[in-house]
Amino acid sequence: MPSTSSAPSAPPSAASSREPRWLDEEEMAAWRSFVTASNLLNRRLERQLKEESGLSHTQYEILVHLSAAPAGSLRMTELADRLVTSKSGLTYQVTQLEKMGLVGRRSCPSDVRGVFAELTEQGDEMLREAAPGHVALVRELLIDVLTREQLAVLADGLGQVSARLRLDDAL
Amino acid sequence: MPSTSSAPSAPPSAASSREPRWLDEEEMAAWRSFVTASNLLNRRLERQLKEESGLSHTQYEILVHLSAAPAGSLRMTELADRLVTSKSGLTYQVTQLEKMGLVGRRSCPSDVRGVFAELTEQGDEMLREAAPGHVALVRELLIDVLTREQLAVLADGLGQVSARLRLDDAL
DNA sequence: ACACCTTCGTTCGAATTTGAACAATAGGAG
DNA sequence: CTCCTATTGTTCAAATTCGAACGAAGGTGT
């Protein structure tokens, strides 16, 4: 009964190169809690955002990233990278947000192919309206549950993990 | 420009109860790295599993949870809870896995309504076949990137986060 | 100027996901 | 036993997701 988990009936002897290094109890606990926390958190945030603002978490994140960017606008590809989604997925969501009047599209002056997604005034308002509740929940469910040290470790460790993944993807 | 983030143009004075407690730089870093790492990781694992075994991450996780359960079987609702998905989503995926011959359905003796999802012999084989590559990648991208201490903190902190979320959901 | 390889954003179809509605049953209070 | 409420798994329509294929440009080397 292998899984991501600890050695099932793996030979307790020296690891043969055929048998992978399974995860020990602690490693397994870390991985499971990461996956579970991630799923549970997403679910909760999704529900809350939808209820309180009519936005999906994805849509909210798009607004956030645009808001954080200079001039409230970003190239589609760049935005997709930051959000960690597919380009086609972004195209879809930006279209949705456009219909809602929260985001607009502008063509890029220096590159005919380029498209800027741009936060509209309404989009900015929406974000200001949705943010407090969202932040409060993130705080309640994650941030305030952890100690300062735990947060530091999280930021640091997962920061490295992300960096590594970004590098790999770039290949 | 609010987000999940640090105080935008919030009054540097004492926080009024209207203005939420925004996230400071460190908290923000922790939250962003968590979200980003989670997305990047999922993307990677999804791709790899699909390529090497033709399974989605969700499907793989179903097999894992069944394999870990006594008799290799679990009630649908219980399984959905452990996986953190919707019941309807699970119904769909179990049907898919059933078509592939990796999972079977058995009715529950003590409850007519109940349905057990059960790992088949083929499902077990598939898991044994897919696990090594999956574990190796999880190790390469997450586990081995972190120190023993970081892993412990992760397991501990996110364990608490999950526990808290489970409790809330139960309400 | 000309090929050639990349990059850009969109479109397309297929797969997945979700919540709400449902029918059937379980379980408890009276 | 009987009524009432909670639970179980499925079905349904709608929304979202992805990768592959595209057409259109950019950029480079010759």
Side-chain angles (χ1 to χ4, degrees):
Chain A
M1 31 153 94
S3 55
T4 313
S5 77
S6 52
S9 50
S13 56
S16 74
S17 65
R18 258 296 91 244
E19 277 299 314
R21 287 165 54 220
W22 300 103
L23 303 187
D24 63 39
E25 208 173 317
E26 202 168 50
E27 294 168 331
M28 191 57 190
W31 172 234
R32 288 315 320 163
S33 66
F34 180 73
V35 171
T36 304
S38 174
N39 288 342
L40 285 169
L41 220 40
N42 267 326
R43 242 176 144 53
R44 263 326 213 73
L45 297 175
E46 195 73 45
R47 192 149 42 97
Q48 200 234 18
L49 277 172
K50 196 63 93 181
E51 278 178 4
E52 297 195 355
S53 312
L55 292 174
S56 69
H57 192 198
T58 310
Q59 294 171 336
Y60 177 83
E61 288 271 284
I62 292 178
L63 300 187
V64 167
H65 281 276
L66 286 181
S67 171
S73 69
L74 281 173
R75 289 284 293 269
M76 293 297 278
T77 296
E78 174 63 19
L79 183 51
D81 277 344
R82 300 199 189 182
L83 292 169
V84 190
T85 18
S86 61
K87 287 186 296 176
S88 54
L90 180 59
T91 293
Y92 174 77
Q93 280 303 168
V94 165
T95 303
Q96 300 307 304
L97 290 169
E98 207 169 19
K99 289 177 186 167
M100 307 185 212
L102 305 179
V103 162
R105 277 188 229 246
R106 235 179 352 112
S107 52
C108 177
S110 62
D111 188 335
V112 189
R113 301 166 304 171
V115 172
F116 276 104
E118 177 182 40
L119 198 60
T120 65
E121 187 50 55
Q122 258 189 85
D124 195 66
E125 274 180 53
M126 170 62 89
L127 186 52
R128 268 199 286 266
E129 190 183 306
H134 177 70
V135 175
L137 195 55
V138 169
R139 191 173 267 299
E140 178 192 336
L141 299 177
L142 180 71
I143 303 298
D144 285 350
V145 175
L146 303 175
T147 67
R148 212 65 197 174
E149 294 78 45
Q150 288 177 314
L151 280 178
V153 172
L154 233 174
D156 207 63
L158 296 186
Q160 273 190 275
V161 170
S162 297
R164 203 178 195 334
L165 277 160
R166 295 260 196 224
L167 284 184
D168 271 11
D169 273 348
L171 304 184
Chain B
M1 29 150 100
S3 56
T4 314
S5 78
S6 53
S9 49
S13 55
S16 73
S17 65
R18 263 288 101 238
E19 276 299 315
R21 288 167 52 222
W22 299 103
L23 303 187
D24 64 38
E25 207 172 317
E26 201 168 49
E27 294 169 330
M28 191 57 189
W31 172 234
R32 290 310 328 162
S33 67
F34 180 73
V35 171
T36 303
S38 173
N39 289 342
L40 286 169
L41 220 39
N42 267 326
R43 243 175 144 51
R44 258 334 208 70
L45 296 176
E46 194 73 46
R47 193 148 41 97
Q48 200 236 16
L49 277 173
K50 196 65 91 181
E51 278 179 4
E52 298 196 354
S53 313
L55 291 175
S56 68
H57 192 199
T58 309
Q59 295 171 336
Y60 177 83
E61 289 271 284
I62 292 178
L63 299 187
V64 167
H65 281 275
L66 286 180
S67 171
S73 69
L74 281 173
R75 289 284 293 271
M76 293 296 280
T77 296
E78 175 62 19
L79 183 50
D81 277 345
R82 298 198 190 182
L83 291 168
V84 191
T85 15
S86 63
K87 287 185 295 175
S88 54
L90 180 60
T91 293
Y92 174 77
Q93 280 303 169
V94 166
T95 302
Q96 299 308 303
L97 289 170
E98 209 170 19
K99 290 177 187 167
M100 306 185 213
L102 305 179
V103 162
R105 276 187 232 246
R106 235 178 352 112
S107 52
C108 176
S110 63
D111 187 335
V112 191
R113 302 167 303 174
V115 172
F116 276 104
E118 179 183 39
L119 198 60
T120 65
E121 188 49 56
Q122 256 189 83
D124 196 66
E125 272 180 55
M126 171 61 89
L127 186 51
R128 267 200 285 267
E129 189 183 307
H134 177 70
V135 174
L137 194 54
V138 169
R139 189 174 268 299
E140 177 191 337
L141 299 177
L142 180 72
I143 303 298
D144 285 351
V145 175
L146 303 175
T147 67
R148 211 65 197 175
E149 295 79 43
Q150 288 178 313
L151 280 179
V153 172
L154 232 175
D156 207 65
L158 295 186
Q160 273 190 276
V161 169
S162 297
R164 202 176 196 332
L165 277 160
R166 295 262 196 220
L167 284 184
D168 271 12
D169 274 347
L171 305 184

